[in-house]
Amino acid sequence: MSNKVVQALYNDDDVLLSAVKKVRAAHHHIEEIYTPFPVHGLDKAMGLAPTRIAIASFLYGCLGLTVAITMLNFIMIEDWPQDIGGKPSFSFLENLPAFVPVIFELTVFFAAHLMVITFYLRSKLWPFKEAENPDVRTTDDHFLMEVSLHGNEDELTALLNETGAVEVKISEKH
Amino acid sequence: MYTFSSKLRTGAFVLMILGLLAWGYGFISAPTTVEEAKAMVVDAHHGDNHGEEAAHATASHDAHAAEDHSAHDEHLLHQLQNKPWAALYVAAFFFMMIALGVLAFYAIQRAAQAGWSPLLFRVMEGITAYLLPGAAIVFVILVLSGMHLNHLFIWMDSEVVAHDELIQGKTGFLNVPFFLIRALIYIAGWVAYRHFSRKFSIAQDTAEDDSYFKKNFRISAGFLVFFLVSESMMSWDWIMSVDPHWFSTLFGWYVFASMFVSGITVIALITIYLKSKGYLEQVNDSHLHDLAKFMFAISIFWTYLWFSQFMLIWYSNIPEEVTYFVTRLEDYKLPFLGMLVMNFVFPLLVLMNSDYKRVNWFVVMAGIVILLGHYIDIYVMIMPATVGDQWYIGIAEIGAVLFFLGLFIYVVFTALTKAPLTPKRNPFIEESKHFHY
């Protein structure tokens, strides 16, 4: 059996959302949805698991905090505790206020940048990546739902047409 | 309509009476003579200092040392006499500032035409009902200070000013009549806005058009301008002037952040309480989530201002400014650093998670810690200048807090019974009812 998918095109996000609910109610598996802009509530309607990127970011922030504290403690207190303008370099805590701006910035730096890189890795985005767009109109004004085809082709096409699709086509899975 | 449950009403009265008795006890047991003051301090130290003091007395018999000694004793007496007054003032200011913080938040919601908060307007209006009695009590304490019944503000003591050129240079601003007139202007401005905004808000319920809503928008915008100026000056007058030698430019903002976060926390707590009692049915966990987000964000904002003030002074270490923090770090180490944990670290970790911000008991727990932390914040602003190293959180302090807590509950929940809890005909009320985040 060949690997076929049905692609249904919509031109309105509200129609798309109700179509998603109908298709899921009929127990068809939605492979992917392509939209020109974020559709509020689409992930909930599709039943996608919530993202964990905020948790990753928190952990990266903790890493940045540790790096900053270790670095400043080593350089300013342990390695060469000079008297610079009378600031107390006897212990880390004594000179802590002077380090806080650096600690804060490094925490934010790690949390932000590593989170962005994680996002790129997880969504497989990089500069010379080939675009995976099944239909160029989906970047402009059309919404495309891709449903995997198992069994009756006509039945699924009829269902998708019923949900308000402006166009339904069957294509080989890339 | 909300009905004030008799249990809560009785609770409020019990708090007021207990608080008043406890504070009265603290007031009566304050020393009236130097001998009593010395005896109290010696008792408190369990006689540890006896030997030392005796040695000191025999070693320095010249007249000069004796003079120093009596000046020291006089100072001690003033600190101990100030204790119940300062306890009363801190608690009175703390609860007044909650109402004022809520009023500022309310005006911002109106001026920003926020779509999520109109359901909570009546809760906020209920809390700001405390502003008039609360500010009046603070004003009475200021008048009593001006009548020299206590030594909270040393610049009011003409004998101190006579020997103090720094304060003499400030008498153009720091003199009792001008001080009280300014206080009246601030209070009148705040209370007037609160009165008219509430009036327009209720009138809008039965109005034919949105004209009251528009009026409320305009006076809210105007009030915010007045508020920022008056709040800043109020913080110089009512708080910074207990240390008349010290000054800090961002102090007004710092006090504002403290009152703003306390106010938002109280809105959240009272909303949760009313919802748990079955009022405010249309308030959902997204409203709570928004309030908790504000608690989280403004806690961090407060910390930012606290740190900016502390670090700039610590870093440059100019003697005339740094004494402020030296006394706090020497005599108030635990409350001064402890409030950082309560006002920053705890809400940061507890309220960071989006799911936790929707859980009632999480928000209540964080809210109680934030409120206690900001009480300590005000405490550490006032006490070092008024009672110095003689501080402790004893009967007078707890009594004053309980009294004002009872009064606050009584006034706020009485005001909540006066109008329906859900505004009608507010242009944003439908959006607010369906608010979802």
Side-chain angles (χ1 to χ4, degrees):
Chain A
M1 201 178 112
S2 64
N3 224 354
K4 281 185 179 169
V5 289
V6 183
Q7 295 177 334
L9 279 143
Y10 300 88
N11 54 13
D12 188 284
D13 47 345
D14 287 332
V15 179
L16 174 76
L17 272 179
S18 67
V20 169
K21 282 169 196 151
K22 277 181 201 156
V23 170
R24 269 173 54 89
H27 299 293
H28 286 288
H29 178 66
I30 299 171
E31 294 268 322
E32 194 64 89
I33 292 181
Y34 298 86
T35 64
F37 51 79
V39 177
H40 188 75
L42 186 60
D43 53 336
K44 287 236 171 63
M46 288 171 73
L48 298 181
T51 172
R52 290 168 295 179
I53 200 150
I55 299 168
S57 181
F58 178 76
L59 296 176
Y60 296 146
C62 294
L63 177 68
L65 186 76
T66 316
V67 167
I69 290 174
T70 317
M71 179 181 81
L72 287 165
N73 184 46
F74 177 72
I75 297 173
M76 301 302 291
I77 308 296
E78 280 174 16
D79 191 34
W80 198 348
Q82 281 191 100
D83 181 344
I84 304 167
K87 279 201 295 303
S89 304
F90 305 109
S91 76
F92 184 74
L93 281 181
E94 264 183 303
N95 214 357
L96 178 62
F99 302 151
V100 165
V102 181
I103 295 175
F104 170 76
E105 294 293 348
L106 275 176
T107 308
V108 174
F109 179 88
F110 273 66
H113 287 82
L114 292 181
M115 176 176 77
V116 168
I117 292 168
T118 306
F119 169 73
Y120 286 153
L121 290 175
R122 293 288 292 148
S123 29
K124 303 194 179 70
L125 285 173
W126 61 87
F128 299 104
K129 176 182 166 91
E130 209 176 311
E132 295 170 357
N133 199 349
D135 192 314
V136 286
R137 288 173 294 171
T138 59
T139 62
D140 182 17
D141 60 350
H142 277 64
F143 304 83
L144 190 147
M145 187 198 310
E146 210 170 64
V147 187
S148 56
L149 183 57
H150 303 287
N152 197 330
E153 194 179 298
D154 295 334
E155 197 185 310
L156 181 54
T157 328
L159 174 73
L160 288 172
N161 272 320
E162 214 175 276
T163 58
V166 291
E167 189 182 323
V168 177
K169 53 186 181 183
I170 297 164
S171 68
E172 289 291 321
K173 182 71 186 163
H174 23 268
Chain B
M1 287 295 266
Y2 170 72
T3 44
F4 198 168
S5 76
S6 60
K7 239 191 216 169
L8 193 63
R9 191 193 301 264
T10 320
F13 279 120
V14 168
L15 283 176
M16 274 191 267
I17 293 164
L18 272 183
L20 209 54
L21 287 177
W23 182 78
Y25 171 77
F27 187 70
I28 292 165
S29 57
T32 48
T33 63
V34 172
E35 283 69 35
E36 275 178 39
K38 275 160 85 175
M40 275 175 77
V41 175
V42 170
D43 277 350
H45 288 219
H46 299 289
D48 285 350
N49 287 359
H50 267 311
E52 205 182 297
E53 229 170 70
H56 190 70
T58 46
S60 55
H61 258 312
D62 56 310
H64 193 70
E67 205 173 88
D68 265 5
H69 223 77
S70 74
H72 171 83
D73 293 341
E74 188 81 13
H75 184 60
L76 178 72
L77 172 68
H78 282 187
Q79 288 182 331
L80 288 174
Q81 281 180 334
N82 263 340
K83 248 178 78 53
W85 282 103
L88 188 75
Y89 186 57
V90 169
F93 182 85
F94 177 68
F95 283 92
M96 192 262 345
M97 97 176 181
I98 289 175
L100 189 58
V102 172
L103 193 68
F105 187 73
Y106 174 79
I108 289 171
Q109 298 300 311
R110 285 221 176 255
Q113 308 202 358
W116 67 279
S117 50
L119 266 186
L120 304 173
F121 276 175
R122 289 290 148 78
V123 178
M124 298 182 207
E125 286 164 12
I127 299 169
T128 54
Y130 181 75
L131 186 61
L132 177 57
I137 292 171
V138 172
F139 184 73
V140 168
I141 298 174
L142 297 179
V143 171
L144 295 179
S145 301
M147 290 160 65
H148 309 298
L149 290 178
N150 58 53
H151 299 87
L152 289 181
F153 300 89
I154 54 160
W155 57 264
M156 288 176 176
D157 190 335
S158 51
E159 222 168 279
V160 172
V161 178
H163 299 100
D164 192 323
E165 285 188 32
L166 277 175
I167 302 181
Q168 279 166 23
K170 298 183 182 185
T171 45
F173 190 75
L174 288 182
N175 59 75
V176 176
F178 188 31
F179 177 79
L180 292 179
I181 291 168
R182 280 200 305 271
L184 271 184
I185 293 172
Y186 313 145
I187 295 171
W190 304 333
V191 170
Y193 166 69
R194 196 269 164 193
H195 173 78
F196 286 109
S197 184
R198 165 81 164 178
K199 199 173 125 187
F200 294 158
S201 172
I202 288 172
Q204 178 66 30
D205 274 6
T206 51
E208 303 283 304
D209 56 5
D210 290 340
S211 60
Y212 284 114
F213 177 79
K214 286 177 189 160
K215 272 187 200 164
N216 227 341
F217 170 78
R218 280 191 216 110
I219 61 167
S220 300
F223 166 74
L224 284 172
V225 176
F226 173 78
F227 172 76
L228 274 185
V229 177
S230 61
E231 188 275 335
S232 204
M233 294 182 69
M234 175 276 282
S235 72
W236 309 335
D237 280 357
W238 298 1
I239 298 186
M240 200 155 79
S241 85
V242 295
D243 286 290
H245 284 186
W246 183 76
F247 45 87
S248 162
T249 40
L250 63 66
F251 196 74
W253 273 110
Y254 172 62
V255 174
F256 167 74
S258 204
M259 67 169 64
F260 204 48
V261 69
S262 312
I264 295 165
T265 304
V266 171
I267 299 173
L269 294 182
I270 292 186
T271 305
I272 291 172
Y273 171 78
L274 290 175
K275 186 159 171 61
S276 76
K277 292 286 168 195
Y279 306 97
L280 296 178
E281 271 163 33
Q282 282 145 325
V283 171
N284 57 38
D285 64 352
S286 290
H287 293 103
L288 186 64
H289 183 268
D290 260 32
L291 285 171
K293 247 190 305 195
F294 268 109
M295 284 161 63
F296 175 72
I298 309 296
S299 285
I300 292 171
F301 178 64
W302 173 87
T303 315
Y304 167 66
L305 293 177
W306 177 87
F307 183 71
S308 302
Q309 180 168 276
F310 173 73
M311 194 261 226
L312 285 181
I313 290 174
W314 172 87
Y315 209 109
S316 58
N317 206 16
I318 299 171
E320 67 191 70
E321 288 181 356
V322 85
T323 49
Y324 185 81
F325 287 113
V326 169
T327 50
R328 277 156 183 79
L329 277 172
E330 273 178 5
D331 299 333
Y332 290 76
K333 200 164 222 139
L334 181 66
F336 184 67
L337 298 174
M339 77 176 177
L340 262 187
V341 177
M342 296 170 81
N343 292 340
F344 174 61
V345 180
F346 188 77
L348 179 84
L349 296 176
V350 167
L351 293 177
M352 191 179 311
N353 189 315
S354 182
D355 295 332
Y356 294 169
K357 288 200 269 274
R358 296 171 191 276
V359 180
N360 278 350
W361 69 270
F362 249 91
V363 178
V364 171
M365 177 177 69
I368 289 170
V369 172
I370 288 174
L371 286 180
L372 289 175
H374 283 282
Y375 171 76
I376 295 173
D377 186 14
I378 305 297
Y379 188 88
V380 174
M381 285 184 208
I382 298 287
M383 290 296 178
T386 51
V387 305
D389 57 359
Q390 296 303 319
W391 71 278
Y392 55 84
I393 297 191
I395 294 173
E397 283 79 2
I398 295 170
V401 170
L402 291 183
F403 171 73
F404 284 104
L405 179 66
L407 185 67
F408 185 82
I409 291 174
Y410 178 72
V411 173
V412 169
F413 284 88
T414 307
L416 284 173
T417 61
K418 298 278 167 64
L421 285 180
T422 311
K424 290 186 273 292
R425 283 217 88 245
N426 182 307
F428 290 105
I429 196 71
E430 279 308 313
E431 183 181 341
S432 180
K433 282 175 185 169
H434 299 107
F435 173 66
H436 168 77
Y437 173 74

